[in-house]
Amino acid sequence: MLVLFFLSLIGTGFAGLKGYCSLYKGTIEILKRPPKELKVNLGDRVSILCAAHGHGMSDPYVYWIKGLGPGYEEKGKNMGPVAVGKSTLYIEKVTEDDIDTYRCVVKDCCSSKQENMDVDIHVSDETCEDVYGLGAVLYGATWEFKNWTAAVQSCKDMGMRIAFPQNPTENAKILQDIQASFTSHPNARKYAHENWVWIGGHDTAVEGEWREIRTGELVSWFNWEYSQPDNWTKGDKHLAGQDCVGIRRTNGKWDDSFVHHERPYVCECPDKEIKMKN
């Protein structure tokens, strides 16, 4: 009955729709919420349902957006027609171009009621393997957002250590491997606007006393970006300052940054020493 009433208002124009909206002030229930992330292999089929129902109102609009970046801040590209009640993100065979972030938007046609549900579709990192055209790398970049502490732990969880260069040769190789991964790995395309990658240096214990998290030893060689480190406190918002090191993926220079910032990170591959001897 509600649907028939709504259809009858189409011919009455905006005034009729305004009257309809004033009569029905209901709530939206999410019936099927997409997963926050989905790991796939290239060539897989993907089908993700997003569905909602209107209580005391018509069912809401549902549609998908692609290309929001890992921080879900970009506008993104509309994936197709707007549906009512439910919409399915369907990919017949996943290609590298499909490895992206997506958003299901559930929106009421009459009000500002809206809910966004984000999905990160990614492939397995295989951080140190010769896949996706990376070649034989000594350092494996992982393209996901983590704060510095979580990045250090993630490398450990994968049986590795977070990378940290001790000399210009190692710094150049880390930069080379990051750039190889950035241009070849399907997961990296989402990070086009992220210039920094976490490495394992910090001065969290004593300000200005930079140490390697891997060994606890003092850092003896530095490659700071111009005017860094500056221990910026962002006014009075972060009085502890910037205590952790990131490497710029474009030139290999370093920057001190806030420990809570989320960035990609680079681990030292477990067979690094063997590969270097060969």
Side-chain angles (χ1 to χ4, degrees):
M1 190 69 181
L2 181 61
V3 174
L4 291 176
F5 176 66
F6 179 70
L7 290 175
S8 70
L9 291 172
I10 293 177
T12 66
F14 176 76
L17 181 59
K18 184 177 180 181
Y20 161 78
C21 290
S22 67
L23 290 174
Y24 294 92
K25 297 180 180 179
T27 59
I28 296 175
E29 177 188 3
I30 304 300
L31 300 178
K32 184 65 176 180
R33 190 177 294 273
K36 291 184 178 180
E37 63 177 68
L38 180 66
K39 183 180 289 187
V40 300
N41 295 311
L42 298 181
D44 283 356
R45 178 182 298 171
V46 169
S47 181
I48 304 175
L49 177 64
C50 182
H53 175 62
H55 293 280
M57 57 183 287
S58 62
D59 284 346
Y61 295 147
V62 184
Y63 58 95
W64 287 90
I65 293 174
K66 174 187 176 183
L68 300 164
Y72 306 106
E73 294 176 352
E74 288 79 23
K75 184 176 181 180
K77 176 184 176 183
N78 198 304
M79 291 291 290
V82 175
V84 176
K86 63 180 180 180
S87 180
T88 299
L89 175 64
Y90 182 78
I91 304 171
E92 179 65 29
K93 289 185 178 181
V94 172
T95 67
E96 291 190 7
D97 187 58
D98 299 315
I99 304 303
D100 214 322
T101 47
Y102 298 80
R103 170 172 291 168
C104 174
V105 179
V106 174
K107 188 174 184 179
D108 176 27
C109 68
C110 289
S111 70
S112 59
K113 294 176 183 176
Q114 178 175 317
E115 183 161 354
N116 300 324
M117 290 161 282
D118 300 320
V119 182
D120 178 19
I121 295 182
H122 57 94
V123 295
S124 175
D125 279 303
E126 298 182 272
T127 306
C128 292
E129 302 299 322
D130 185 4
V131 294
Y132 309 120
L134 297 185
V137 297
L138 303 183
Y139 302 95
T142 298
W143 301 104
E144 62 177 342
F145 268 156
K146 288 189 181 296
N147 64 44
W148 185 81
T149 305
V152 171
Q153 185 61 47
S154 180
C155 288
K156 289 181 180 179
D157 293 343
M158 292 188 288
M160 297 181 280
R161 303 186 302 175
I162 192 165
F164 191 80
Q166 296 180 322
N167 52 61
T169 301
E170 290 186 355
N171 197 82
K173 181 56 179 171
I174 288 176
L175 176 62
Q176 178 185 346
D177 288 351
I178 288 173
Q179 290 179 340
S181 181
F182 183 77
T183 57
S184 302
H185 202 294
N187 289 343
R189 67 176 62 238
K190 295 173 284 188
Y191 294 83
H193 303 300
E194 178 56 65
N195 291 320
W196 298 97
V197 177
W198 285 128
I199 54 177
H202 71 100
D203 70 342
T204 55
V206 179
E207 180 58 36
E209 190 176 277
W210 295 95
R211 293 183 179 273
E212 290 191 46
I213 189 65
R214 305 175 304 176
T215 63
E217 296 178 356
L218 287 170
V219 177
S220 59
W221 179 82
F222 297 92
N223 194 39
W224 295 114
E225 186 75 87
Y226 175 74
S227 75
Q228 300 300 323
D230 60 359
N231 197 39
W232 186 44
T233 59
K234 206 173 183 179
D236 293 330
K237 292 183 178 179
H238 302 289
L239 294 179
Q242 298 175 308
D243 296 328
C244 303
V245 182
I247 185 171
R248 183 183 283 274
R249 64 169 176 80
T250 56
N251 63 8
K253 295 293 186 178
W254 302 356
D255 174 54
D256 61 331
S257 190
F258 300 115
V259 65
H260 64 269
H261 273 182
E262 293 190 333
R263 291 172 170 168
Y265 51 99
V266 58
C267 305
E268 181 182 294
C269 296
D271 54 352
K272 171 196 165 198
E273 301 303 326
I274 297 174
K275 289 180 179 178
M276 288 182 71
K277 290 178 181 178
N278 294 335

